[in-house]
Structures are given as C-alpha cells and as structure tokens.
Amino acid sequence: DESAFKYCSSLNNITLPPKLKKIGDNAFHECMKLQSIKWPPSLETIGNQAFHACYSLRSINLPKGLETIGKQAFHACYRLTSIEFPDSLKTIGKMAFFNCGALESIKFPDGLQEIEIGPMAFCRCSKLKTVTLPSALKRIGQRAFGSCYALKSINLPMGLRIIGGYAFDSCTALESITF
C-alpha cells in the first residue's frame, strides 16, 4: 500500500513477495540505506515516488513483466549508476529518474513493442553518457533528457513520432544527433 515503509531509514535489502503486482506510491520513499531489491516476476507497476531518495541504490535490474514506472519513482537516487529495462516496459513516468546524478548509461532492449518516455524522466542525470533508445520509441517527453551534461551523441529511432519541447535542453556535451 501507499507509504507502507516510507522513511524506514535503516532498511538495507528488500525481497518482495512472489505474486506482487504493484508497489504502491511512496512505498519505500527515503529508505536511504536501501541497497538491493529482489523483484518478483509478477511485478507490473512501480508506483509514484516508490523509491524516491533511496540514496544507496546503485543498480537496478527490473523484472521482465514490468510495464509502468510511475512519476518520480527513482527520483534523487544519487548513487544509481545503471538500469536494465525489460522489454515489457510501456511507460516511464514524469521525472522517474530525475536527478540521478551518478547514472552513466541507459539501455532499452530492442524487443520493446511501444514505449513512452515521460517529461523530465532522465533530466539532470549529469553523468549520463550513453543512451540506447529502442526502435519502438514513439514519444520523448518535454525535457526528458534535459541537463544531461555528459551526453555526447543520440540516435533517434525512425518510428519516433514526438520529441517534446526542450527534450535535450542544456546537453552541453552533445556533439551528434542521428535520425
């Protein structure tokens, strides 16, 4: 449920129940010592701000059935360096990974059918150098990659329909864009 373990500042590890379908909004908000999460294969939704400000998370390998990452789900997870997305993913919510300053690379599997990256989803990920976008990408939200100061190049897929305003605003190291 919502805010179930909010502010449990000493929590280190989580093993989620095997039949869990949704992690509620704010469920593990500001569990600052959280380092590892064992995801159930049944998980479909990570709620809004579910892991907001979990400062000790370093990497996440999301489960294969996951479809939705809610708004600000991993916002301000400052030590997060890598993310592996499943090919079942359909939506990355607004500001989902906003201000994950240590995040260096993002790779989406090419098996994705259709995905939308919400506004400011990866904004202020200042060390983000590499983004591999899936061919199924349809929409990049406003400021989705804004202020990703280390991003050097981006390959945009042919099926992309919408690039939101300021999508790559202030990407000062951006040298090449390929459509």
Side-chain angles (χ1 to χ4, degrees), residues 92 108 115-122 131 133-134 136-146 154-157 159-169 177-179:
I92 297 175
F108 294 92
I115 185 169
E116 291 194 16
I117 298 174
M120 300 171 75
F122 297 98
V131 177
L133 296 171
L137 181 64
K138 302 299 179 207
R139 173 191 296 260
I140 297 175
Q142 292 182 340
R143 292 194 48 83
F145 295 95
I154 192 80
N155 290 324
L156 300 170
L160 185 63
R161 292 186 207 136
I162 298 168
I163 299 174
Y166 304 94
F168 296 93
D169 178 49
I177 302 166
T178 305
F179 291 91

PDB file of all heavy atoms in Angstrom, residues 92 108 115-122 131 133-134 136-146 154-157 159-169 177-179:
ATOM      1  N   ILE A  92       7.487   5.200 -18.869  1.00  0.00           N
ATOM      2  CA  ILE A  92       8.371   5.733 -17.836  1.00  0.00           C
ATOM      3  C   ILE A  92       7.786   7.086 -17.476  1.00  0.00           C
ATOM      4  O   ILE A  92       7.724   7.988 -18.313  1.00  0.00           O
ATOM      5  CB  ILE A  92       9.826   5.875 -18.342  1.00  0.00           C
ATOM      6  CG1 ILE A  92      10.389   4.492 -18.700  1.00  0.00           C
ATOM      7  CG2 ILE A  92      10.687   6.552 -17.282  1.00  0.00           C
ATOM      8  CD1 ILE A  92      11.759   4.530 -19.320  1.00  0.00           C
ATOM      9  N   PHE A 108      17.782   0.303 -23.439  1.00  0.00           N
ATOM     10  CA  PHE A 108      16.463  -0.290 -23.595  1.00  0.00           C
ATOM     11  C   PHE A 108      16.593  -1.493 -24.514  1.00  0.00           C
ATOM     12  O   PHE A 108      17.264  -1.416 -25.534  1.00  0.00           O
ATOM     13  CB  PHE A 108      15.495   0.707 -24.229  1.00  0.00           C
ATOM     14  CG  PHE A 108      15.186   1.893 -23.365  1.00  0.00           C
ATOM     15  CD1 PHE A 108      15.927   3.054 -23.473  1.00  0.00           C
ATOM     16  CD2 PHE A 108      14.151   1.848 -22.447  1.00  0.00           C
ATOM     17  CE1 PHE A 108      15.644   4.158 -22.685  1.00  0.00           C
ATOM     18  CE2 PHE A 108      13.860   2.940 -21.656  1.00  0.00           C
ATOM     19  CZ  PHE A 108      14.604   4.094 -21.771  1.00  0.00           C
ATOM     20  N   ILE A 115       6.925   2.287 -26.386  1.00  0.00           N
ATOM     21  CA  ILE A 115       7.239   2.894 -25.102  1.00  0.00           C
ATOM     22  C   ILE A 115       7.170   4.409 -25.202  1.00  0.00           C
ATOM     23  O   ILE A 115       7.444   4.982 -26.263  1.00  0.00           O
ATOM     24  CB  ILE A 115       8.631   2.451 -24.590  1.00  0.00           C
ATOM     25  CG1 ILE A 115       8.879   3.003 -23.181  1.00  0.00           C
ATOM     26  CG2 ILE A 115       9.720   2.819 -25.556  1.00  0.00           C
ATOM     27  CD1 ILE A 115      10.079   2.433 -22.479  1.00  0.00           C
ATOM     28  N   GLU A 116       6.795   5.036 -24.092  1.00  0.00           N
ATOM     29  CA  GLU A 116       6.816   6.497 -23.974  1.00  0.00           C
ATOM     30  C   GLU A 116       7.701   6.874 -22.806  1.00  0.00           C
ATOM     31  O   GLU A 116       7.588   6.297 -21.723  1.00  0.00           O
ATOM     32  CB  GLU A 116       5.405   7.034 -23.761  1.00  0.00           C
ATOM     33  CG  GLU A 116       4.536   6.887 -24.990  1.00  0.00           C
ATOM     34  CD  GLU A 116       3.256   7.699 -24.911  1.00  0.00           C
ATOM     35  OE1 GLU A 116       3.148   8.603 -24.060  1.00  0.00           O
ATOM     36  OE2 GLU A 116       2.370   7.425 -25.728  1.00  0.00           O
ATOM     37  N   ILE A 117       8.576   7.826 -23.047  1.00  0.00           N
ATOM     38  CA  ILE A 117       9.436   8.364 -22.003  1.00  0.00           C
ATOM     39  C   ILE A 117       8.836   9.699 -21.580  1.00  0.00           C
ATOM     40  O   ILE A 117       8.752  10.618 -22.379  1.00  0.00           O
ATOM     41  CB  ILE A 117      10.891   8.531 -22.498  1.00  0.00           C
ATOM     42  CG1 ILE A 117      11.476   7.166 -22.882  1.00  0.00           C
ATOM     43  CG2 ILE A 117      11.742   9.209 -21.436  1.00  0.00           C
ATOM     44  CD1 ILE A 117      12.846   7.227 -23.512  1.00  0.00           C
ATOM     45  N   GLY A 118       8.400   9.772 -20.333  1.00  0.00           N
ATOM     46  CA  GLY A 118       7.687  10.943 -19.824  1.00  0.00           C
ATOM     47  C   GLY A 118       8.555  12.179 -19.659  1.00  0.00           C
ATOM     48  O   GLY A 118       9.782  12.113 -19.729  1.00  0.00           O
ATOM     49  N   PRO A 119       7.893  13.326 -19.423  1.00  0.00           N
ATOM     50  CA  PRO A 119       8.606  14.588 -19.236  1.00  0.00           C
ATOM     51  C   PRO A 119       9.626  14.498 -18.102  1.00  0.00           C
ATOM     52  O   PRO A 119       9.349  13.936 -17.050  1.00  0.00           O
ATOM     53  CB  PRO A 119       7.499  15.579 -18.880  1.00  0.00           C
ATOM     54  CG  PRO A 119       6.245  14.980 -19.408  1.00  0.00           C
ATOM     55  CD  PRO A 119       6.445  13.496 -19.312  1.00  0.00           C
ATOM     56  N   MET A 120      10.790  15.011 -18.356  1.00  0.00           N
ATOM     57  CA  MET A 120      11.873  15.113 -17.387  1.00  0.00           C
ATOM     58  C   MET A 120      12.290  13.763 -16.796  1.00  0.00           C
ATOM     59  O   MET A 120      12.877  13.693 -15.717  1.00  0.00           O
ATOM     60  CB  MET A 120      11.493  16.101 -16.274  1.00  0.00           C
ATOM     61  CG  MET A 120      11.229  17.501 -16.809  1.00  0.00           C
ATOM     62  SD  MET A 120      10.538  18.648 -15.613  1.00  0.00           S
ATOM     63  CE  MET A 120      11.982  18.980 -14.622  1.00  0.00           C
ATOM     64  N   ALA A 121      12.001  12.670 -17.491  1.00  0.00           N
ATOM     65  CA  ALA A 121      12.266  11.321 -16.974  1.00  0.00           C
ATOM     66  C   ALA A 121      13.725  11.114 -16.567  1.00  0.00           C
ATOM     67  O   ALA A 121      14.003  10.491 -15.548  1.00  0.00           O
ATOM     68  CB  ALA A 121      11.845  10.273 -17.993  1.00  0.00           C
ATOM     69  N   PHE A 122      14.648  11.637 -17.372  1.00  0.00           N
ATOM     70  CA  PHE A 122      16.076  11.476 -17.072  1.00  0.00           C
ATOM     71  C   PHE A 122      16.772  12.832 -16.937  1.00  0.00           C
ATOM     72  O   PHE A 122      17.987  12.924 -17.041  1.00  0.00           O
ATOM     73  CB  PHE A 122      16.752  10.638 -18.163  1.00  0.00           C
ATOM     74  CG  PHE A 122      16.214   9.243 -18.247  1.00  0.00           C
ATOM     75  CD1 PHE A 122      15.245   8.920 -19.187  1.00  0.00           C
ATOM     76  CD2 PHE A 122      16.640   8.257 -17.379  1.00  0.00           C
ATOM     77  CE1 PHE A 122      14.721   7.644 -19.266  1.00  0.00           C
ATOM     78  CE2 PHE A 122      16.122   6.972 -17.443  1.00  0.00           C
ATOM     79  CZ  PHE A 122      15.158   6.665 -18.387  1.00  0.00           C
ATOM     80  N   VAL A 131      22.959   6.603 -24.145  1.00  0.00           N
ATOM     81  CA  VAL A 131      21.549   6.248 -24.152  1.00  0.00           C
ATOM     82  C   VAL A 131      21.304   5.427 -25.417  1.00  0.00           C
ATOM     83  O   VAL A 131      21.564   5.897 -26.519  1.00  0.00           O
ATOM     84  CB  VAL A 131      20.624   7.490 -24.160  1.00  0.00           C
ATOM     85  CG1 VAL A 131      19.171   7.072 -24.234  1.00  0.00           C
ATOM     86  CG2 VAL A 131      20.878   8.361 -22.949  1.00  0.00           C
ATOM     87  N   LEU A 133      18.361   4.014 -27.356  1.00  0.00           N
ATOM     88  CA  LEU A 133      16.902   4.088 -27.448  1.00  0.00           C
ATOM     89  C   LEU A 133      16.369   2.937 -28.292  1.00  0.00           C
ATOM     90  O   LEU A 133      16.986   2.544 -29.274  1.00  0.00           O
ATOM     91  CB  LEU A 133      16.489   5.433 -28.068  1.00  0.00           C
ATOM     92  CG  LEU A 133      16.851   6.665 -27.236  1.00  0.00           C
ATOM     93  CD1 LEU A 133      16.593   7.933 -28.035  1.00  0.00           C
ATOM     94  CD2 LEU A 133      16.084   6.694 -25.932  1.00  0.00           C
ATOM     95  N   PRO A 134      15.215   2.414 -27.919  1.00  0.00           N
ATOM     96  CA  PRO A 134      14.646   1.298 -28.676  1.00  0.00           C
ATOM     97  C   PRO A 134      13.994   1.759 -29.969  1.00  0.00           C
ATOM     98  O   PRO A 134      13.511   2.892 -30.061  1.00  0.00           O
ATOM     99  CB  PRO A 134      13.593   0.732 -27.714  1.00  0.00           C
ATOM    100  CG  PRO A 134      13.148   1.924 -26.941  1.00  0.00           C
ATOM    101  CD  PRO A 134      14.377   2.776 -26.767  1.00  0.00           C
ATOM    102  N   ALA A 136      11.214   0.955 -30.994  1.00  0.00           N
ATOM    103  CA  ALA A 136       9.776   1.105 -30.750  1.00  0.00           C
ATOM    104  C   ALA A 136       9.408   2.421 -30.062  1.00  0.00           C
ATOM    105  O   ALA A 136       8.228   2.684 -29.834  1.00  0.00           O
ATOM    106  CB  ALA A 136       9.276  -0.062 -29.902  1.00  0.00           C
ATOM    107  N   LEU A 137      10.392   3.247 -29.758  1.00  0.00           N
ATOM    108  CA  LEU A 137      10.113   4.505 -29.053  1.00  0.00           C
ATOM    109  C   LEU A 137       9.216   5.402 -29.894  1.00  0.00           C
ATOM    110  O   LEU A 137       9.513   5.674 -31.059  1.00  0.00           O
ATOM    111  CB  LEU A 137      11.419   5.230 -28.728  1.00  0.00           C
ATOM    112  CG  LEU A 137      11.295   6.542 -27.964  1.00  0.00           C
ATOM    113  CD1 LEU A 137      10.706   6.305 -26.570  1.00  0.00           C
ATOM    114  CD2 LEU A 137      12.655   7.214 -27.847  1.00  0.00           C
ATOM    115  N   LYS A 138       8.103   5.858 -29.303  1.00  0.00           N
ATOM    116  CA  LYS A 138       7.140   6.699 -30.015  1.00  0.00           C
ATOM    117  C   LYS A 138       7.187   8.156 -29.554  1.00  0.00           C
ATOM    118  O   LYS A 138       6.924   9.058 -30.324  1.00  0.00           O
ATOM    119  CB  LYS A 138       5.710   6.168 -29.826  1.00  0.00           C
ATOM    120  CG  LYS A 138       5.519   4.739 -30.285  1.00  0.00           C
ATOM    121  CD  LYS A 138       5.807   4.579 -31.752  1.00  0.00           C
ATOM    122  CE  LYS A 138       5.646   3.144 -32.190  1.00  0.00           C
ATOM    123  NZ  LYS A 138       6.447   2.798 -33.332  1.00  0.00           N
ATOM    124  N   ARG A 139       7.451   8.368 -28.270  1.00  0.00           N
ATOM    125  CA  ARG A 139       7.396   9.730 -27.737  1.00  0.00           C
ATOM    126  C   ARG A 139       8.501   9.941 -26.709  1.00  0.00           C
ATOM    127  O   ARG A 139       8.732   9.105 -25.850  1.00  0.00           O
ATOM    128  CB  ARG A 139       6.055   9.958 -27.059  1.00  0.00           C
ATOM    129  CG  ARG A 139       5.938  11.275 -26.315  1.00  0.00           C
ATOM    130  CD  ARG A 139       4.697  11.342 -25.431  1.00  0.00           C
ATOM    131  NE  ARG A 139       3.493  11.294 -26.211  1.00  0.00           N
ATOM    132  CZ  ARG A 139       2.765  12.362 -26.541  1.00  0.00           C
ATOM    133  NH1 ARG A 139       3.132  13.546 -26.129  1.00  0.00           N
ATOM    134  NH2 ARG A 139       1.683  12.231 -27.254  1.00  0.00           N
ATOM    135  N   ILE A 140       9.162  11.079 -26.831  1.00  0.00           N
ATOM    136  CA  ILE A 140      10.097  11.547 -25.818  1.00  0.00           C
ATOM    137  C   ILE A 140       9.476  12.799 -25.225  1.00  0.00           C
ATOM    138  O   ILE A 140       9.199  13.757 -25.941  1.00  0.00           O
ATOM    139  CB  ILE A 140      11.492  11.873 -26.416  1.00  0.00           C
ATOM    140  CG1 ILE A 140      12.132  10.612 -27.009  1.00  0.00           C
ATOM    141  CG2 ILE A 140      12.393  12.480 -25.345  1.00  0.00           C
ATOM    142  CD1 ILE A 140      13.441  10.865 -27.718  1.00  0.00           C
ATOM    143  N   GLY A 141       9.218  12.781 -23.925  1.00  0.00           N
ATOM    144  CA  GLY A 141       8.544  13.889 -23.258  1.00  0.00           C
ATOM    145  C   GLY A 141       9.406  15.128 -23.119  1.00  0.00           C
ATOM    146  O   GLY A 141      10.624  15.108 -23.340  1.00  0.00           O
ATOM    147  N   GLN A 142       8.758  16.221 -22.734  1.00  0.00           N
ATOM    148  CA  GLN A 142       9.444  17.501 -22.540  1.00  0.00           C
ATOM    149  C   GLN A 142      10.582  17.349 -21.536  1.00  0.00           C
ATOM    150  O   GLN A 142      10.424  16.708 -20.500  1.00  0.00           O
ATOM    151  CB  GLN A 142       8.474  18.555 -22.018  1.00  0.00           C
ATOM    152  CG  GLN A 142       7.435  18.960 -23.013  1.00  0.00           C
ATOM    153  CD  GLN A 142       6.533  20.049 -22.462  1.00  0.00           C
ATOM    154  OE1 GLN A 142       6.422  20.265 -21.265  1.00  0.00           O
ATOM    155  NE2 GLN A 142       5.860  20.735 -23.357  1.00  0.00           N
ATOM    156  N   ARG A 143      11.719  17.905 -21.886  1.00  0.00           N
ATOM    157  CA  ARG A 143      12.916  17.903 -21.041  1.00  0.00           C
ATOM    158  C   ARG A 143      13.324  16.510 -20.560  1.00  0.00           C
ATOM    159  O   ARG A 143      13.970  16.360 -19.520  1.00  0.00           O
ATOM    160  CB  ARG A 143      12.745  18.843 -19.840  1.00  0.00           C
ATOM    161  CG  ARG A 143      12.699  20.307 -20.232  1.00  0.00           C
ATOM    162  CD  ARG A 143      12.866  21.271 -19.073  1.00  0.00           C
ATOM    163  NE  ARG A 143      13.962  20.993 -18.172  1.00  0.00           N
ATOM    164  CZ  ARG A 143      15.237  21.340 -18.359  1.00  0.00           C
ATOM    165  NH1 ARG A 143      15.581  21.986 -19.448  1.00  0.00           N
ATOM    166  NH2 ARG A 143      16.157  21.057 -17.479  1.00  0.00           N
ATOM    167  N   ALA A 144      12.935  15.467 -21.285  1.00  0.00           N
ATOM    168  CA  ALA A 144      13.212  14.087 -20.865  1.00  0.00           C
ATOM    169  C   ALA A 144      14.693  13.850 -20.575  1.00  0.00           C
ATOM    170  O   ALA A 144      15.035  13.144 -19.636  1.00  0.00           O
ATOM    171  CB  ALA A 144      12.722  13.100 -21.922  1.00  0.00           C
ATOM    172  N   PHE A 145      15.560  14.456 -21.380  1.00  0.00           N
ATOM    173  CA  PHE A 145      16.997  14.315 -21.181  1.00  0.00           C
ATOM    174  C   PHE A 145      17.655  15.680 -20.954  1.00  0.00           C
ATOM    175  O   PHE A 145      18.845  15.843 -21.168  1.00  0.00           O
ATOM    176  CB  PHE A 145      17.634  13.607 -22.381  1.00  0.00           C
ATOM    177  CG  PHE A 145      17.178  12.185 -22.539  1.00  0.00           C
ATOM    178  CD1 PHE A 145      16.127  11.864 -23.382  1.00  0.00           C
ATOM    179  CD2 PHE A 145      17.790  11.160 -21.826  1.00  0.00           C
ATOM    180  CE1 PHE A 145      15.692  10.560 -23.521  1.00  0.00           C
ATOM    181  CE2 PHE A 145      17.360   9.853 -21.957  1.00  0.00           C
ATOM    182  CZ  PHE A 145      16.308   9.546 -22.797  1.00  0.00           C
ATOM    183  N   GLY A 146      16.901  16.644 -20.512  1.00  0.00           N
ATOM    184  CA  GLY A 146      17.430  17.986 -20.256  1.00  0.00           C
ATOM    185  C   GLY A 146      18.507  17.968 -19.190  1.00  0.00           C
ATOM    186  O   GLY A 146      18.447  17.200 -18.231  1.00  0.00           O
ATOM    187  N   ILE A 154      23.290  11.003 -29.682  1.00  0.00           N
ATOM    188  CA  ILE A 154      21.992  10.353 -29.540  1.00  0.00           C
ATOM    189  C   ILE A 154      21.542   9.859 -30.910  1.00  0.00           C
ATOM    190  O   ILE A 154      21.670  10.572 -31.907  1.00  0.00           O
ATOM    191  CB  ILE A 154      20.948  11.297 -28.889  1.00  0.00           C
ATOM    192  CG1 ILE A 154      19.691  10.545 -28.480  1.00  0.00           C
ATOM    193  CG2 ILE A 154      20.620  12.481 -29.745  1.00  0.00           C
ATOM    194  CD1 ILE A 154      19.812   9.819 -27.207  1.00  0.00           C
ATOM    195  N   ASN A 155      21.071   8.612 -30.947  1.00  0.00           N
ATOM    196  CA  ASN A 155      20.492   8.039 -32.167  1.00  0.00           C
ATOM    197  C   ASN A 155      18.999   7.933 -31.937  1.00  0.00           C
ATOM    198  O   ASN A 155      18.561   7.184 -31.056  1.00  0.00           O
ATOM    199  CB  ASN A 155      21.076   6.656 -32.455  1.00  0.00           C
ATOM    200  CG  ASN A 155      22.515   6.733 -32.879  1.00  0.00           C
ATOM    201  OD1 ASN A 155      22.924   7.649 -33.573  1.00  0.00           O
ATOM    202  ND2 ASN A 155      23.300   5.769 -32.462  1.00  0.00           N
ATOM    203  N   LEU A 156      18.227   8.657 -32.717  1.00  0.00           N
ATOM    204  CA  LEU A 156      16.776   8.656 -32.568  1.00  0.00           C
ATOM    205  C   LEU A 156      16.170   7.656 -33.549  1.00  0.00           C
ATOM    206  O   LEU A 156      16.515   7.656 -34.723  1.00  0.00           O
ATOM    207  CB  LEU A 156      16.229  10.062 -32.807  1.00  0.00           C
ATOM    208  CG  LEU A 156      16.774  11.113 -31.835  1.00  0.00           C
ATOM    209  CD1 LEU A 156      16.386  12.512 -32.281  1.00  0.00           C
ATOM    210  CD2 LEU A 156      16.276  10.845 -30.426  1.00  0.00           C
ATOM    211  N   PRO A 157      15.266   6.793 -33.070  1.00  0.00           N
ATOM    212  CA  PRO A 157      14.697   5.756 -33.936  1.00  0.00           C
ATOM    213  C   PRO A 157      13.770   6.316 -35.011  1.00  0.00           C
ATOM    214  O   PRO A 157      13.158   7.369 -34.834  1.00  0.00           O
ATOM    215  CB  PRO A 157      13.936   4.855 -32.969  1.00  0.00           C
ATOM    216  CG  PRO A 157      13.683   5.681 -31.777  1.00  0.00           C
ATOM    217  CD  PRO A 157      14.769   6.705 -31.705  1.00  0.00           C
ATOM    218  N   GLY A 159      10.829   5.353 -35.999  1.00  0.00           N
ATOM    219  CA  GLY A 159       9.406   5.393 -35.664  1.00  0.00           C
ATOM    220  C   GLY A 159       9.023   6.467 -34.656  1.00  0.00           C
ATOM    221  O   GLY A 159       7.851   6.603 -34.316  1.00  0.00           O
ATOM    222  N   LEU A 160       9.994   7.246 -34.205  1.00  0.00           N
ATOM    223  CA  LEU A 160       9.720   8.285 -33.219  1.00  0.00           C
ATOM    224  C   LEU A 160       8.756   9.314 -33.798  1.00  0.00           C
ATOM    225  O   LEU A 160       8.978   9.847 -34.877  1.00  0.00           O
ATOM    226  CB  LEU A 160      11.036   8.966 -32.817  1.00  0.00           C
ATOM    227  CG  LEU A 160      10.977  10.003 -31.720  1.00  0.00           C
ATOM    228  CD1 LEU A 160      10.507   9.381 -30.399  1.00  0.00           C
ATOM    229  CD2 LEU A 160      12.347  10.642 -31.526  1.00  0.00           C
ATOM    230  N   ARG A 161       7.649   9.562 -33.078  1.00  0.00           N
ATOM    231  CA  ARG A 161       6.624  10.485 -33.570  1.00  0.00           C
ATOM    232  C   ARG A 161       6.722  11.870 -32.949  1.00  0.00           C
ATOM    233  O   ARG A 161       6.456  12.867 -33.608  1.00  0.00           O
ATOM    234  CB  ARG A 161       5.230   9.927 -33.276  1.00  0.00           C
ATOM    235  CG  ARG A 161       4.888   8.698 -34.057  1.00  0.00           C
ATOM    236  CD  ARG A 161       3.431   8.310 -33.795  1.00  0.00           C
ATOM    237  NE  ARG A 161       3.295   6.888 -34.001  1.00  0.00           N
ATOM    238  CZ  ARG A 161       2.633   6.075 -33.213  1.00  0.00           C
ATOM    239  NH1 ARG A 161       2.012   6.532 -32.161  1.00  0.00           N
ATOM    240  NH2 ARG A 161       2.576   4.796 -33.486  1.00  0.00           N
ATOM    241  N   ILE A 162       7.058  11.913 -31.653  1.00  0.00           N
ATOM    242  CA  ILE A 162       7.041  13.193 -30.947  1.00  0.00           C
ATOM    243  C   ILE A 162       8.299  13.355 -30.103  1.00  0.00           C
ATOM    244  O   ILE A 162       8.650  12.461 -29.327  1.00  0.00           O
ATOM    245  CB  ILE A 162       5.793  13.298 -30.032  1.00  0.00           C
ATOM    246  CG1 ILE A 162       4.519  13.241 -30.864  1.00  0.00           C
ATOM    247  CG2 ILE A 162       5.829  14.569 -29.193  1.00  0.00           C
ATOM    248  CD1 ILE A 162       3.257  13.052 -30.055  1.00  0.00           C
ATOM    249  N   ILE A 163       8.952  14.496 -30.266  1.00  0.00           N
ATOM    250  CA  ILE A 163      10.048  14.900 -29.394  1.00  0.00           C
ATOM    251  C   ILE A 163       9.546  16.146 -28.676  1.00  0.00           C
ATOM    252  O   ILE A 163       9.304  17.176 -29.302  1.00  0.00           O
ATOM    253  CB  ILE A 163      11.341  15.219 -30.176  1.00  0.00           C
ATOM    254  CG1 ILE A 163      11.824  13.988 -30.943  1.00  0.00           C
ATOM    255  CG2 ILE A 163      12.430  15.704 -29.205  1.00  0.00           C
ATOM    256  CD1 ILE A 163      13.005  14.247 -31.857  1.00  0.00           C
ATOM    257  N   GLY A 164       9.355  16.024 -27.380  1.00  0.00           N
ATOM    258  CA  GLY A 164       8.820  17.128 -26.590  1.00  0.00           C
ATOM    259  C   GLY A 164       9.764  18.323 -26.540  1.00  0.00           C
ATOM    260  O   GLY A 164      10.970  18.189 -26.771  1.00  0.00           O
ATOM    261  N   GLY A 165       9.209  19.464 -26.222  1.00  0.00           N
ATOM    262  CA  GLY A 165       9.986  20.691 -26.103  1.00  0.00           C
ATOM    263  C   GLY A 165      11.132  20.542 -25.121  1.00  0.00           C
ATOM    264  O   GLY A 165      10.980  19.900 -24.083  1.00  0.00           O
ATOM    265  N   TYR A 166      12.260  21.090 -25.467  1.00  0.00           N
ATOM    266  CA  TYR A 166      13.439  21.102 -24.606  1.00  0.00           C
ATOM    267  C   TYR A 166      13.915  19.698 -24.233  1.00  0.00           C
ATOM    268  O   TYR A 166      14.560  19.506 -23.206  1.00  0.00           O
ATOM    269  CB  TYR A 166      13.190  21.921 -23.328  1.00  0.00           C
ATOM    270  CG  TYR A 166      12.746  23.331 -23.585  1.00  0.00           C
ATOM    271  CD1 TYR A 166      11.398  23.654 -23.612  1.00  0.00           C
ATOM    272  CD2 TYR A 166      13.680  24.328 -23.831  1.00  0.00           C
ATOM    273  CE1 TYR A 166      10.984  24.952 -23.869  1.00  0.00           C
ATOM    274  CE2 TYR A 166      13.280  25.635 -24.074  1.00  0.00           C
ATOM    275  CZ  TYR A 166      11.924  25.937 -24.102  1.00  0.00           C
ATOM    276  OH  TYR A 166      11.523  27.228 -24.360  1.00  0.00           O
ATOM    277  N   ALA A 167      13.573  18.695 -25.037  1.00  0.00           N
ATOM    278  CA  ALA A 167      13.887  17.295 -24.720  1.00  0.00           C
ATOM    279  C   ALA A 167      15.368  17.077 -24.411  1.00  0.00           C
ATOM    280  O   ALA A 167      15.705  16.270 -23.554  1.00  0.00           O
ATOM    281  CB  ALA A 167      13.447  16.377 -25.851  1.00  0.00           C
ATOM    282  N   PHE A 168      16.246  17.803 -25.105  1.00  0.00           N
ATOM    283  CA  PHE A 168      17.680  17.662 -24.886  1.00  0.00           C
ATOM    284  C   PHE A 168      18.309  19.008 -24.513  1.00  0.00           C
ATOM    285  O   PHE A 168      19.482  19.245 -24.766  1.00  0.00           O
ATOM    286  CB  PHE A 168      18.346  17.061 -26.139  1.00  0.00           C
ATOM    287  CG  PHE A 168      17.871  15.674 -26.443  1.00  0.00           C
ATOM    288  CD1 PHE A 168      16.811  15.459 -27.315  1.00  0.00           C
ATOM    289  CD2 PHE A 168      18.450  14.574 -25.832  1.00  0.00           C
ATOM    290  CE1 PHE A 168      16.351  14.177 -27.584  1.00  0.00           C
ATOM    291  CE2 PHE A 168      18.005  13.288 -26.094  1.00  0.00           C
ATOM    292  CZ  PHE A 168      16.949  13.087 -26.967  1.00  0.00           C
ATOM    293  N   ASP A 169      17.534  19.848 -23.888  1.00  0.00           N
ATOM    294  CA  ASP A 169      17.969  21.182 -23.468  1.00  0.00           C
ATOM    295  C   ASP A 169      19.167  21.106 -22.522  1.00  0.00           C
ATOM    296  O   ASP A 169      19.205  20.271 -21.622  1.00  0.00           O
ATOM    297  CB  ASP A 169      16.793  21.881 -22.765  1.00  0.00           C
ATOM    298  CG  ASP A 169      17.153  23.256 -22.249  1.00  0.00           C
ATOM    299  OD1 ASP A 169      17.728  24.046 -23.013  1.00  0.00           O
ATOM    300  OD2 ASP A 169      16.869  23.532 -21.064  1.00  0.00           O
ATOM    301  N   ILE A 177      23.660  14.068 -33.459  1.00  0.00           N
ATOM    302  CA  ILE A 177      22.302  13.548 -33.405  1.00  0.00           C
ATOM    303  C   ILE A 177      22.069  12.825 -34.721  1.00  0.00           C
ATOM    304  O   ILE A 177      22.318  13.386 -35.796  1.00  0.00           O
ATOM    305  CB  ILE A 177      21.261  14.681 -33.255  1.00  0.00           C
ATOM    306  CG1 ILE A 177      21.538  15.490 -32.014  1.00  0.00           C
ATOM    307  CG2 ILE A 177      19.843  14.107 -33.240  1.00  0.00           C
ATOM    308  CD1 ILE A 177      20.787  16.811 -31.973  1.00  0.00           C
ATOM    309  N   THR A 178      21.582  11.584 -34.636  1.00  0.00           N
ATOM    310  CA  THR A 178      21.288  10.814 -35.838  1.00  0.00           C
ATOM    311  C   THR A 178      19.818  10.416 -35.803  1.00  0.00           C
ATOM    312  O   THR A 178      19.327   9.910 -34.795  1.00  0.00           O
ATOM    313  CB  THR A 178      22.159   9.548 -35.910  1.00  0.00           C
ATOM    314  OG1 THR A 178      23.516   9.921 -35.824  1.00  0.00           O
ATOM    315  CG2 THR A 178      21.916   8.787 -37.207  1.00  0.00           C
ATOM    316  N   PHE A 179      19.109  10.682 -36.923  1.00  0.00           N
ATOM    317  CA  PHE A 179      17.700  10.320 -37.037  1.00  0.00           C
ATOM    318  C   PHE A 179      17.566   9.072 -37.882  1.00  0.00           C
ATOM    319  O   PHE A 179      18.312   8.829 -38.789  1.00  0.00           O
ATOM    320  CB  PHE A 179      16.887  11.451 -37.673  1.00  0.00           C
ATOM    321  CG  PHE A 179      16.754  12.652 -36.785  1.00  0.00           C
ATOM    322  CD1 PHE A 179      17.662  13.681 -36.845  1.00  0.00           C
ATOM    323  CD2 PHE A 179      15.689  12.760 -35.908  1.00  0.00           C
ATOM    324  CE1 PHE A 179      17.535  14.802 -36.032  1.00  0.00           C
ATOM    325  CE2 PHE A 179      15.540  13.887 -35.097  1.00  0.00           C
ATOM    326  CZ  PHE A 179      16.468  14.895 -35.154  1.00  0.00           C
TER     327      PHE A 179
END
